[in-house]
């Protein structure tokens, strides 16, 4: 294969690829696959005939232009397969949506990272895991897709720690954060249609903290389980506590979801119940925070008034992830961001 | 071995800094307080000292949330009413 090397970088054939790329400030510290022209071309085959040079997003703070070609380079480095590329491209599109507020997500000292949730056909055909251990290791699609999005943030958005990412401690979710929705084990219709995205495949990007575990081994009624979810939502240690208008993604395990559904509770019922239960006395919040991003009416509450952790039940987003067992997760958002769900399109 | 660069080109940011006025005497200073801890203390003190040293005048104080872009109406007022803005403190 004859390749025009004008815009390429030469690195030693027998050297340490990761070290050769790190010299330029590229990479996440883990070993990487060399993005040779042949590998990038093969990766782009995952987007069919879509124009590789079309810019699908401009990402702050560097204002880097993310074309399919540029995204494919990071996807190769991360270890993706071509069938993962449309998910990565769609997630990058979502990152550029104004309501997601990527500039803030990258600039904050908080540990926020974009969580990808893959929905629909592509989750099955491209091998994403929404079942047992979905947030953990062992699945190439989840690991490489999450990592590819992080590499795009590092390389294209310029979200390098210190320069373009001010996170005080960083966080493990910043290496890669991708799961699938376990639709087969969900008692409810798919999450994407519930937010108005009626496509065969979709991806949600929710910028949040690492998962907060919710453990309930014994309850046979939704309220007893969801009260524990509400407890995880009301810690004053999470960013939403002083903002009180942010989103929460609640990833119920199939068994907890089944308990809710058996009692006749819909996804909306779960959100509404959590909105009612996830409250703290206003005085507890004002004692904890001098700096609050509250709606003006909240500043006039009596100290003992139960104060909601978010402004609307719709901000509590429910879906099913995981396998056998009785552990669910709350993923509080960074606060000043909204999740985005888009069809998976090349 | 040849490899692709992963960073790609950049485009111009949507807005840049205006050139600084060469002389501040008589100029109007605005403060854009992003509500980070002690931003009000630091920015007010800085503006006060700048005004005393140069003869500029502090005429407008606006407040924004640090986490989101500044509202257009606030930026519009600043652009209309002052010639220098002090802002941008962190935690």
């Amino acid at each position: 294969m004859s390749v025009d090397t004008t815009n390429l970088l030469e690195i030693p054939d027998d050297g340490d690829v990761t070290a050769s790329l790190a010299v330029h400030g590229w990479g996440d510290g883990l070993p990487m696959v060399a993005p040779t022209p042949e590998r990038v071309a093969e990766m782009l085959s995952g987007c069919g005939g879509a124009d590789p040079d079309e810019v699908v997003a401009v990402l702050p703070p560097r204002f880097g232009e993310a074309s399919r070609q540029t995204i494919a380079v990071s996807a190769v480095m991360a270890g993706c397969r071509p069938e993962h590329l449309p998910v990565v491209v769609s997630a990058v599109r979502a990152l550029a949506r104004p309501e997601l507020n990527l500039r803030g997500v990258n600039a904050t000292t908080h540990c926020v990272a974009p969580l990808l949730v893959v929905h629909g056909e592509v989750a099955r055909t491209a091998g994403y895991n929404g079942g047992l251990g979905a947030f953990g290791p062992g699945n190439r699609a989840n690991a490489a897709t999450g990592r590819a999005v992080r590499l795009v943030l590092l390389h294209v958005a310029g979200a390098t720690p210190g320069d373009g990412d001010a996170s005080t401690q960083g966080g493990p979710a910043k290496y890669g954060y991708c799961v699938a929705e376990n639709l087969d084990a969900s008692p409810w219709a798919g999450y994407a249609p519930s937010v108005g995205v009626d496509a065969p495949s979709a991806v949600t990007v929710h910028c949040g903290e690492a998962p907060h575990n919710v453990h309930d081994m014994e309850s046979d009624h939704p309220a007893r389980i969801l009260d524990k979810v509400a407890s995880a939502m009301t810690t004053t240690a999470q960013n939403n506590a002083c903002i009180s208008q942010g989103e929460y993604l609640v990833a119920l395990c199939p068994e907890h979801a089944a308990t809710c559904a058996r009692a006749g509770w819909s996804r909306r019922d779960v959100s509404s119940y959590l909105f009612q239960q996830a409250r703290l006395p206003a005085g507890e919040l004002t004692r904890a925070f001098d700096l609050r991003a509250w709606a003006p009416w909240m500043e006039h509450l009596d100290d003992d008034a139960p104060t909601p952790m978010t402004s609307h039940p719709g901000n509590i987003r429910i879906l099913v992830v995981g396998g056998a067992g009785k552990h669910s997760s709350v993923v509080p958002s960074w606060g000043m961001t909204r999740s985005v769900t888009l069809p998976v399109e090349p | 071995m040849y490899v692709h660069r992963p960073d790609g080109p950049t485009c111009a940011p949507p807005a840049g800094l205006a050139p600084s006025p060469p002389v501040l005497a008589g100029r109007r200073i605005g403060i854009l307080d992003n509500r980070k801890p002690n931003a009000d203390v630091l920015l007010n003190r800085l503006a006060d000292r700048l005004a005393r040293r140069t003869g500029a005048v502090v005429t407008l104080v606006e407040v924004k949330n640090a986490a989101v872009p500044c509202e257009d109406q606030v930026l519009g007022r600043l652009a209309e009413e002052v010639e220098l803005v002090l802002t941008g403190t962190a935690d």
Side-chain angles (χ1 to χ4, degrees), chain A residues 236 241-242 244 280-292 294 297-305 307:
Chain A
T236 54
C242 59
S244 298
L280 286 174
E284 188 173 334
L285 288 165
T286 54
R287 280 192 296 278
F289 301 106
D290 292 331
L291 299 169
R292 301 179 292 273
W294 279 5
W297 64 268
M298 296 172 70
E299 299 291 353
H300 299 279
L301 293 171
D302 293 335
D303 272 4
D304 57 355
T307 306

Side-chain angles (χ1 to χ4, degrees), chain B residues 14-87:
Chain B
L17 292 174
S20 299
V23 178
L24 294 182
R27 301 281 185 173
R28 295 162 298 177
I29 299 177
I31 295 172
L32 181 57
D33 174 357
N34 63 3
R35 298 187 64 208
K36 279 290 181 183
N38 295 316
D40 55 342
V41 176
L42 180 69
L43 292 171
N44 279 295
R45 184 74 60 85
L46 186 63
D48 185 51
R49 291 198 175 183
L50 198 60
R52 275 194 277 132
R53 260 185 29 208
T54 65
V57 187
V58 181
T59 61
L60 182 65
V61 177
E62 291 280 1
V63 174
K64 76 176 285 281
N65 186 310
V68 294
C70 193
E71 295 92 340
D72 286 347
Q73 60 189 36
V74 172
L75 289 177
R77 266 200 304 276
L78 287 163
E80 225 169 73
E81 295 183 26
V82 303
E83 289 136 326
L84 183 77
V85 176
L86 301 178
T87 190

